[in-house]
Amino acid sequence: FSNYTPRVAIVTGAAQGIGYAIAQKLADDGIDVAVNDIISKQTQIGSVVEELRKKGRHAIAIPGDVSNEQEVISMIEKTMVANAGIAAIGAFLETSGETFDRIYSVNVRGVFFCFKQAALQMIKQGRGGRLIGLLLAILLVLCIEFAAIKLQARTQNLTAYSAAKFAVRGLTQTASIELRRHGITANSYAPGYIRTPLGATSDGVDDNCATVRKLFGAPDAPVAEADTVASIVSYLVKPEAYFINGQCISVDGGLRYD
Ligand code: NAD
């Protein structure tokens, strides 16, 4: 499977932020892309699909919730790349069980369903694949899993989020061992502070992650643009990355969380 070449990717959470940048980069690399995000972002999804088509790529919209397995099955049938995620900020002692469950559902169940259904599809196709905690490919050929991880330990006010992202790391490492015999690699990446709507203030103002960095106790932490992360994903799906498996790649400018 060392000559595995990606043809199609599904990118989840691609209406904005890191997922959007990944979709653009993969299209620039000549990969057809299925664009996922939640149903309420249908208009944004449509705009992204139009942008990718203008680049000469085949692109389709596959709206759906990654924490719902039936919706993921339907998305995979059409294509797939996973990157969707949500964060909840709050002090440990004030984090409710409901908040913990909601964060876990999207960040962990979402990755689990995407990886599982994508791997089943890849095995059926018999061409191997790439799961990258963030995306997965479609039609049948490539699948990058999906799992943004970082902002973990050493970050205050993110207990539920931190627990969920560490779970994704473990899920990815173990899946990589079981899937390698099928020519499928599974890796994840752990971004530091990336300038996206997720890092904006609660009223949507882009303040270069200043508010969240302060809240998380790292006011001087470096900040990067989303296309920095997209470049790493772009490399992980390339044929020459076939020997990178089960890794969690830090993309954080040297900021250490663990
Ligand atoms: P973002 O909020 O800008 O974009 C995430 C997208 O995922 C949104 O469009 C959202 O609608 C979508 N989404 C949320 N729940 C979904 C679901 N259930 N099904 C489908 N789509 C869903 O965030 P981002 O900054 O681009 O982050 C992308 C990933 O990277 C997330 O997993 C996030 O936790 C992780 N991450 C981001 C940073 C950062 O600094 N921005 C740092 C570390 C990790």
Side-chain angles (χ1 to χ4, degrees), residues 149-160:
I149 294 182
K150 214 111 194 210
L151 290 184
Q152 302 166 341
R154 283 223 207 160
T155 301
Q156 63 185 24
N157 290 323
L158 275 179
T159 315

Side-chain angles (χ1 to χ4, degrees), residues 25-45:
K25 176 64 179 156
L26 293 181
D28 290 342
D29 289 349
I31 297 172
D32 291 334
V33 179
V35 180
N36 159 266
D37 210 291
I38 48 180
I39 305 274
S40 62
K41 292 211 170 141
Q42 198 126 21
T43 306
Q44 275 172 267
I45 297 172

Side-chain angles (χ1 to χ4, degrees), residues 95-177:
T95 300
S96 67
E98 288 74 22
T99 297
F100 187 89
D101 288 346
R102 187 168 56 83
I103 296 303
Y104 223 78
S105 179
V106 173
N107 292 298
V108 184
R109 281 168 59 92
V111 174
F112 169 68
F113 291 147
C114 288
F115 275 25
K116 178 181 158 190
Q117 295 303 331
L120 286 169
Q121 181 64 43
M122 290 188 233
I123 291 168
K124 205 191 294 178
Q125 292 171 204
R127 293 189 62 248
R130 301 282 167 82
L131 294 173
I132 298 165
L134 236 262
L135 68 141
L136 143 112
I138 171 183
L139 232 195
L140 333 247
V141 182
L142 138 71
C143 193
I144 302 172
E145 33 172 311
F146 139 150
I149 294 182
K150 214 111 194 210
L151 290 184
Q152 302 166 341
R154 283 223 207 160
T155 301
Q156 63 185 24
N157 290 323
L158 275 179
T159 315
Y161 182 82
S162 177
K165 295 305 189 184
F166 269 104
V168 168
R169 188 173 185 163
L171 186 158
T172 303
Q173 285 177 348
T174 306
S176 73
I177 297 167

Side-chain angles (χ1 to χ4, degrees), residues 13 16-18 37 41 64-66 83-85 148 161 165 192 194 196 198:
Q16 64 182 45
I18 296 172
D37 210 291
K41 292 211 170 141
D65 184 341
V66 296
N83 155 84
Y161 182 82
K165 295 305 189 184
I194 309 297
T196 72
L198 190 68

